[in-house]
Amino acid sequence: MLRLLVTTRFHLYLGSMRYRFVRPREVQKAADEAKARFGNIDGDHLTLLNVYHAYKQNNQVTSWCYANYVNHRALKAADNPRQQLTRIMSRFNLKLCSNISHQIKQQCMAQIDITTKLLISKSEAHTKN
């Protein structure tokens, strides 16, 4: 459950796909191709997670972001809550597991979708009153 909470908060912080990728008019085709390299058939959240992992593997270098049409500032900002959650998990001696199976990822994504729909429905109900 805590793993799901950490994953959910991290994905929600990553936010919208359009703010994470840069798409200049003069090189839109190249930007679209770069984005496609990170794509995941299971959805945008996992695409963003692929981008984040590649960013970390490339030592969070600005030039890597530029070459891959990724917003460096957005990824840097997404790393802050992840570091905070990692420290919290360490403080409570909780296992930090980033390398999870495809089945668990799918279960997490399904739970995120349910949670998101629930939050939206409650928000809409609150707005109507």
Side-chain angles (χ1 to χ4, degrees), residues 20-35:
R20 304 302 172 230
F21 289 94
V22 179
R23 195 171 183 254
R25 286 182 194 234
E26 58 277 2
V27 288
Q28 285 181 350
K29 185 176 179 183
D32 291 343
E33 289 170 358
K35 181 179 175 184

Side-chain angles (χ1 to χ4, degrees), residues 95-106:
K95 183 179 177 182
L96 180 62
C97 181
S98 298
N99 197 7
I100 57 178
S101 72
H102 181 71
Q103 181 182 5
I104 293 173
K105 284 180 187 176
Q106 286 182 320

Side-chain angles (χ1 to χ4, degrees), residues 49-102:
L49 196 56
N50 289 341
V51 171
Y52 178 78
H53 285 302
Y55 168 70
K56 295 293 276 186
Q57 288 173 349
N58 286 280
N59 300 315
Q60 305 172 21
V61 178
T62 307
S63 60
W64 178 87
C65 292
Y66 183 79
N68 288 282
Y69 303 95
V70 176
N71 185 329
H72 180 259
R73 184 177 291 166
L75 286 173
K76 192 174 179 182
D79 197 40
N80 291 334
R82 186 178 194 280
Q83 290 174 0
Q84 291 173 9
L85 290 168
T86 301
R87 284 192 303 270
I88 291 168
M89 291 179 74
S90 294
R91 188 178 331 144
F92 291 103
N93 296 321
L94 298 170
K95 183 179 177 182
L96 180 62
C97 181
S98 298
N99 197 7
I100 57 178
S101 72
H102 181 71

